[in-house]
Amino acid sequence: MTGSGIRDTVREKYGEAAKRVTEGKQAECCASSCCGGSADPISSELYSEAETSVVPEGAVLASLGCGNPTALAELKEGETVLDLGSGGGIDVLLSARRVGPTGKAYGLDMTDEMLALARENQRKAGVDNVEFLKGEIEQIPLPDNTVDVIISNCVINLSADKDRVLAEAFRVLKPGGRFAVSDVVVRGEVPSAIRRSVELWIGCVAGALEEREYRDKLGKAGFESVDVEPTRVYRVEDARDFLAGSGIDADAIAPQVDGKFMSAFVRARKPLAG
Ligand SMILES: C[S@@+](CC[C@H](N)C(=O)[O-])C[C@H]1O[C@@H](n2cnc3c(N)ncnc32)[C@H](O)[C@@H]1O
């Protein structure tokens, strides 16, 4: 599939996910029942009660992330935050509270239905230090050196051009700015056919980077102080039903996948000089 083909498929899937939330249902990212809902090992129970109680229900229902970047990123009063692939807006709304009225939280998403949902959630939350922008994370519609912190929750793995996303993140960050992202990462080698099946389980249309590759790409984009910290490590058991539905014997592939797919918190910093 070409880069624009992947983007169109991703847009369509997340447009459908947004429509489910508009109908009062939990968002799902896969055609099967593997994702979404309380049994989902990837997106369930990422947020504390203290967090979900301060954002509109629609933002919680639309949550399709694989981590909780705002809990791990150290956001300060007055800072400007940008969420790449903001979906229903949960992380943007939580960031807005953390940076306060003197700060600003931007959400960027390419899917109209998600943007409509996020703007409705903003209206219900009654916050005005938030702005949802339409656009692609490969071409961020913000000027150079304007953002203190880039967050993202399970979106960069969906991009067909990760080098471009990282270069854009670097461009818009201020010198000393932080990259603080939750993403799916693969640790070690996994045969490509098996990798594709597990990635489909994790996120509809995914292309998770291998951990070393992620570090290298961040370094190549100019970032320093790169760190990849696993937050959830997936077992073959978690994907058993989905794999069986795809005609894959989970026991047979267990040695090649067990513990190799994870949600991770990926951090890096734009150098102060240069
Ligand atoms: C897995 S969902 C995550 C949403 C949100 N971060 C969350 O935690 O609930 C992916 C979101 O990223 C958006 N997205 C995916 N690829 C994108 C791209 N290349 N540019 C902009 N948005 C993108 C989709 O429209 C969708 O809303």
Side-chain angles (χ1 to χ4, degrees), residues 7 10 14 47 62-65 83 85-87 90-91 108-111 114 135-138 153-155 158:
R7 211 168 296 149
V10 168
Y14 289 101
Y47 299 93
S63 164
L64 282 169
D83 182 9
S86 43
I90 186 165
D91 295 319
L108 171 65
D109 208 287
M110 66 177 181
T111 306
M114 278 295 183
E136 293 172 0
I137 62 175
E138 295 82 1
N153 201 347
C154 230
V155 181
L158 300 172

Coordinates of all heavy atoms in Angstrom, one line a residue, residues 7 10 14 47 62-65 83 85-87 90-91 108-111 114 135-138 153-155 158, ligand 1:
R7 N -2.8 6.3 4.5 CA -3.4 7.5 5.2 C -4.9 7.4 5.0 O -5.7 7.7 5.9 CB -2.8 8.8 4.6 CG -2.8 9.9 5.6 CD -2.0 11.0 5.2 NE -0.6 10.6 5.0 CZ 0.3 11.2 4.1 NH1 -0.1 12.1 3.3 NH2 1.5 10.8 4.0
V10 N -6.4 4.7 7.2 CA -6.4 5.1 8.6 C -7.5 6.1 8.8 O -8.3 6.0 9.8 CB -5.0 5.7 8.9 CG1 -5.1 6.4 10.3 CG2 -3.9 4.6 8.9
Y14 N -10.6 5.6 11.5 CA -10.9 6.4 12.6 C -12.1 7.3 12.5 O -12.7 7.7 13.5 CB -9.6 7.2 13.0 CG -8.6 6.3 13.5 CD1 -7.5 5.8 12.8 CD2 -8.7 5.7 14.8 CE1 -6.6 4.8 13.3 CE2 -7.8 4.8 15.3 CZ -6.8 4.3 14.6 OH -5.9 3.4 15.1
Y47 N -6.2 5.7 32.1 CA -6.4 6.9 32.9 C -6.9 6.6 34.2 O -7.7 5.7 34.4 CB -7.3 7.9 32.1 CG -6.7 8.2 30.7 CD1 -7.1 7.5 29.6 CD2 -5.8 9.3 30.6 CE1 -6.6 7.8 28.3 CE2 -5.3 9.6 29.3 CZ -5.7 8.8 28.2 OH -5.2 9.1 27.0
A62 N -13.9 8.0 23.4 CA -13.1 8.0 22.1 C -11.7 7.6 22.3 O -10.9 7.6 21.4 CB -13.2 9.4 21.5
S63 N -11.2 7.4 23.5 CA -9.8 7.2 23.8 C -9.4 5.9 23.1 O -9.9 4.8 23.4 CB -9.6 7.1 25.3 OG -8.4 6.5 25.6
L64 N -8.4 6.0 22.2 CA -7.9 4.9 21.5 C -6.4 4.8 21.6 O -5.7 4.3 20.7 CB -8.3 5.0 20.0 CG -9.7 4.6 19.7 CD1 -10.1 5.1 18.3 CD2 -10.0 3.2 19.9
G65 N -5.8 5.4 22.6 CA -4.4 5.4 22.8 C -3.9 4.1 23.4 O -4.6 3.1 23.5
D83 N -0.5 17.9 20.5 CA -0.8 16.4 20.5 C -0.9 16.0 19.0 O -1.8 16.4 18.3 CB -2.1 16.2 21.3 CG -2.5 14.7 21.4 OD1 -1.6 13.8 21.0 OD2 -3.6 14.4 21.8
G85 N -2.2 13.7 16.3 CA -3.2 12.6 16.2 C -4.1 12.6 17.4 O -4.2 11.7 18.2
S86 N -4.8 13.8 17.7 CA -5.4 14.0 19.0 C -6.7 13.3 19.1 O -7.3 13.2 20.2 CB -5.6 15.5 19.1 OG -6.1 16.1 17.9
G87 N -7.3 12.7 18.1 CA -8.5 11.9 18.2 C -9.6 12.6 18.9 O -9.9 13.8 18.5
I90 N -8.8 13.6 24.4 CA -8.6 13.4 25.8 C -7.3 14.0 26.3 O -7.2 14.7 27.3 CB -8.8 11.9 26.2 CG1 -8.8 11.8 27.8 CG2 -7.8 11.0 25.6 CD1 -9.3 10.4 28.3
D91 N -6.2 13.7 25.6 CA -4.9 14.1 26.1 C -4.7 15.6 25.9 O -4.0 16.3 26.7 CB -3.8 13.4 25.3 CG -3.8 11.9 25.6 OD1 -4.0 11.5 26.8 OD2 -3.6 11.1 24.7
L108 N -3.8 18.0 16.8 CA -3.8 18.0 15.4 C -4.3 16.6 14.9 O -3.8 15.6 15.4 CB -2.3 18.1 14.9 CG -2.0 17.9 13.4 CD1 -2.7 18.9 12.6 CD2 -0.5 18.0 13.2
D109 N -5.2 16.6 14.0 CA -5.8 15.4 13.5 C -6.2 15.6 12.0 O -6.6 16.7 11.7 CB -6.9 14.9 14.3 CG -7.1 13.3 14.3 OD1 -7.5 12.8 13.3 OD2 -6.8 12.7 15.3
M110 N -6.2 14.5 11.3 CA -6.6 14.6 9.8 C -8.0 14.2 9.6 O -8.5 14.3 8.5 CB -5.6 13.8 9.0 CG -5.7 12.3 9.2 SD -4.6 11.4 8.1 CE -5.0 9.7 8.6
T111 N -8.7 13.6 10.6 CA -10.0 12.9 10.3 C -11.1 13.9 10.8 O -11.2 14.2 12.0 CB -10.1 11.6 11.1 OG1 -8.9 10.8 10.7 CG2 -11.4 10.9 10.8
M114 N -13.2 12.9 13.8 CA -12.5 13.0 15.1 C -12.4 14.5 15.5 O -12.6 14.8 16.7 CB -11.1 12.4 15.0 CG -11.1 10.9 15.1 SD -11.6 10.4 16.8 CE -11.4 8.6 16.6
G135 N -5.1 18.7 10.0 CA -3.8 18.5 9.2 C -3.2 17.2 9.5 O -3.7 16.3 10.2
E136 N -2.1 17.0 8.8 CA -1.4 15.7 8.9 C -0.1 15.9 9.7 O 0.5 16.9 9.7 CB -1.0 15.2 7.5 CG -2.3 14.8 6.8 CD -2.1 14.5 5.3 OE1 -0.9 14.5 4.8 OE2 -3.1 14.2 4.6
I137 N 0.2 14.8 10.5 CA 1.4 14.9 11.4 C 2.7 14.9 10.6 O 3.7 15.3 11.1 CB 1.4 13.8 12.4 CG1 1.5 12.4 11.8 CG2 0.1 13.9 13.3 CD1 1.6 11.3 12.8
E138 N 2.6 14.6 9.3 CA 3.8 14.6 8.4 C 4.0 16.1 7.9 O 5.0 16.3 7.2 CB 3.6 13.7 7.2 CG 3.5 12.2 7.5 CD 2.1 11.8 7.9 OE1 1.2 12.6 8.0 OE2 2.0 10.6 8.3
N153 N -0.4 9.9 21.2 CA -0.8 8.6 21.9 C -1.2 7.6 20.9 O -2.3 7.6 20.4 CB -1.9 8.9 22.9 CG -2.1 7.9 23.9 OD1 -1.5 6.8 23.8 ND2 -2.9 8.2 25.0
C154 N -0.2 6.8 20.5 CA -0.5 5.6 19.6 C -0.8 6.1 18.2 O -1.7 5.5 17.6 CB -1.6 4.8 20.2 SG -1.1 3.0 20.2
V155 N -0.1 7.0 17.7 CA -0.4 7.6 16.3 C 0.8 7.5 15.4 O 0.7 7.1 14.2 CB -0.8 9.0 16.4 CG1 -1.2 9.6 15.0 CG2 -2.1 9.2 17.3
L158 N 1.2 4.7 13.1 CA 0.3 4.6 12.0 C 0.9 5.3 10.7 O 0.3 5.1 9.6 CB -1.0 5.2 12.3 CG -1.8 4.6 13.5 CD1 -3.0 5.5 13.8 CD2 -2.2 3.2 13.2
Ligands
LIG1 C1 -5.1 5.5 17.6 S1 -6.0 6.9 17.4 C2 -5.5 7.8 18.8 C3 -6.3 9.0 19.2 C4 -5.8 9.7 20.4 N1 -4.4 10.1 20.4 C5 -6.2 8.9 21.7 O1 -5.3 8.6 22.5 O2 -7.3 8.6 21.8 C6 -5.3 7.7 16.0 C7 -5.7 9.1 15.7 O3 -4.7 9.7 14.9 C8 -5.2 10.3 13.7 N2 -4.2 10.1 12.7 C9 -3.6 8.9 12.2 N3 -2.7 9.2 11.3 C10 -2.6 10.5 11.2 C11 -1.8 11.4 10.3 N4 -0.9 10.9 9.5 N5 -2.0 12.8 10.5 C12 -3.0 13.2 11.3 N6 -3.7 12.5 12.1 C13 -3.6 11.1 12.0 C14 -6.5 9.5 13.4 O4 -7.4 10.3 12.7 C15 -7.0 9.2 14.9 O5 -7.8 10.2 15.4

